[in-house]
């Protein structure tokens, strides 16, 4: 099983560890594209600070993120699972998983990124600020930039099992499963049960809890239909229908009563 996650906007500090080793990151087929984006981002942030802040969509209060990006090559690196924070990752709680569940997390989870394309949770990266919606001066919109390199590596990364896609729209733009892979892909919406409206904050928390539940339980469904049954066995209220056409992803609706 492969679980696709969005990153978090806010990130933990890099710390004092050894700096990034680009060649050690997972999905080595992305190495050239990563180097290009890193070069563009560092050059942007080492120059005109106000321009960099505008390109990155940063408020005055986040001005320090520009300097952080300028120093990415020498900043300390930590496992991506420690760098990414926020609602989804708080609910996922990687640090509190037992050893078996952590091993599954290393094998199953893939976090999409505007800077790195995608990384495993044990890949060591520095803290950075660069969302998939950014348009770098020399590359344009990163969501479009990543499509070609991601299309080359993701079918192999997906293997022949279930793909559980929990990415937000901006990160889903970087790779869309096609053909046979799409047929074994499931996307998830979180709906307020009484109103059937999509929830916002609780959407991220619920997705984090779903991933944690699967990791702790060890359930490894091999298809979207098996995923529906696994989630129901874990206590989630799930509605789903098989897609009408071959080569289309399943959409699962998880119903919740809380919307905070």
């Amino acid at each position: 099983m492969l679980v696709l996650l969005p990153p978090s906007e806010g990130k933990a500090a890099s710390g004092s560890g050894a700096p990034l080793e680009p060649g050690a990151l997972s999905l080595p087929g992305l190495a050239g594209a990563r180097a290009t984006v890193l070069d563009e981002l560092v050059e942007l942030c080492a120059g005109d600070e106000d321009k960099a802040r505008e390109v990155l969509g940063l408020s005055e209060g986040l001005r320090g993120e520009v300097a952080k990006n300028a120093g990415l090559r020498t900043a300390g690196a930590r496992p991506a699972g420690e760098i990414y924070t926020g609602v989804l990752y708080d609910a996922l709680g990687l640090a509190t998983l037992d050893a078996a569940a952590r091993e599954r997390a290393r094998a199953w989870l893939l976090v999409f990124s505007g800077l790195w394309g995608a990384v495993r949770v044990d890949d060591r990266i520095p803290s950075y600020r660069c969302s998939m919606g950014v348009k770098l001066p020399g590359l344009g919109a990163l969501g479009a930039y990543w499509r070609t390199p991601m299309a080359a590596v993701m079918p192999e990364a997906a293997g022949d099992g279930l793909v559980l896609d929990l990415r937000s729209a901006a990160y889903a733009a970087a790779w869309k499963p096609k053909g046979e892979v799409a047929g074994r892909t499931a996307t998830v919406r979180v709906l307020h049960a009484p109103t059937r409206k999509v929830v916002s904050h609780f959407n991220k928390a619920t997705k984090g809890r779903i991933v944690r539940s699967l990791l702790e339980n060890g359930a490894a469904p091999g298809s979207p239909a098996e995923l529906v049954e696994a989630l129901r066995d874990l206590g989630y209220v799930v509605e789903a229908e098989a897609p009408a056409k071959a080569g289309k992803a399943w959409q699962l609706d998880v119903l919740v009563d809380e919307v905070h």
Side-chain angles (χ1 to χ4, degrees), residues 242-246 248:
K245 296 181 180 180
K248 298 290 185 181

Side-chain angles (χ1 to χ4, degrees), residues 144-166:
Y145 170 80
W146 280 111
R147 285 174 195 155
T148 297
M150 295 302 290
V153 303
M154 284 304 299
E156 181 179 354
D160 57 4
L162 170 71
V163 178
L164 175 54
D165 189 352
L166 301 178

Side-chain angles (χ1 to χ4, degrees), residues 4-250:
L4 310 182
L5 297 175
S8 57
E9 285 298 311
K11 298 172 182 68
S14 293
S16 57
L20 171 73
E21 295 182 26
L25 297 178
S26 301
L27 305 181
L30 299 179
R34 286 171 175 150
T36 299
V37 178
L38 180 61
D39 287 347
E40 288 280 337
L41 182 61
V42 170
E43 181 179 356
L44 170 70
C45 293
D48 186 324
E49 187 177 88
D50 289 328
K51 178 184 177 181
R53 194 160 58 84
E54 180 182 357
V55 169
L56 297 174
L58 301 177
S59 66
E60 175 65 32
L62 294 173
R63 182 177 289 270
E65 299 292 281
V66 175
K68 182 169 72 174
N69 281 347
L72 282 172
R73 290 195 181 90
T74 57
R78 296 167 59 186
E82 298 177 11
I83 291 290
Y84 294 121
T85 59
V87 175
L88 187 153
Y89 290 90
D90 286 346
L92 172 52
L94 287 168
T96 60
L97 292 170
D98 64 29
R102 286 198 300 272
E103 186 62 32
R104 295 184 195 106
R106 287 190 284 269
W108 293 359
L109 306 188
L110 193 65
V111 184
F112 272 59
S113 162
L115 175 53
W116 313 115
V119 292
R120 301 281 185 180
V121 293
D122 57 344
D123 282 334
R124 296 180 64 261
I125 58 173
S127 184
Y128 66 96
R129 192 75 174 218
C130 184
S131 71
M132 193 66 82
V134 164
K135 296 181 180 180
L136 290 177
L139 298 178
L142 289 175
Y145 170 80
W146 280 111
R147 285 174 195 155
T148 297
M150 295 302 290
V153 303
M154 284 304 299
E156 181 179 354
D160 57 4
L162 170 71
V163 178
L164 175 54
D165 189 352
L166 301 178
R167 297 172 297 166
S168 55
Y171 290 89
W175 180 66
K176 182 178 180 180
K178 296 180 179 179
E180 181 270 336
V181 178
R184 49 187 168 84
T185 297
T187 63
V188 172
R189 294 190 308 176
V190 181
L191 304 181
H192 183 217
T195 64
R196 288 302 196 276
K197 292 183 178 179
V198 176
V199 300
S200 54
H201 171 94
F202 206 67
N203 166 62
K204 296 178 181 179
T206 300
K207 288 179 177 178
R209 289 173 187 142
I210 285 172
V211 177
R212 184 180 179 93
S213 295
L214 291 168
L215 293 171
E216 288 182 321
N217 180 265
S223 69
E226 291 179 10
L227 174 63
V228 171
E229 294 307 312
L231 291 178
R232 288 172 177 166
D233 289 345
L234 290 168
Y236 294 93
V237 179
V238 183
E239 295 179 350
E241 291 185 6
K245 296 181 180 180
K248 298 290 185 181
W250 286 54

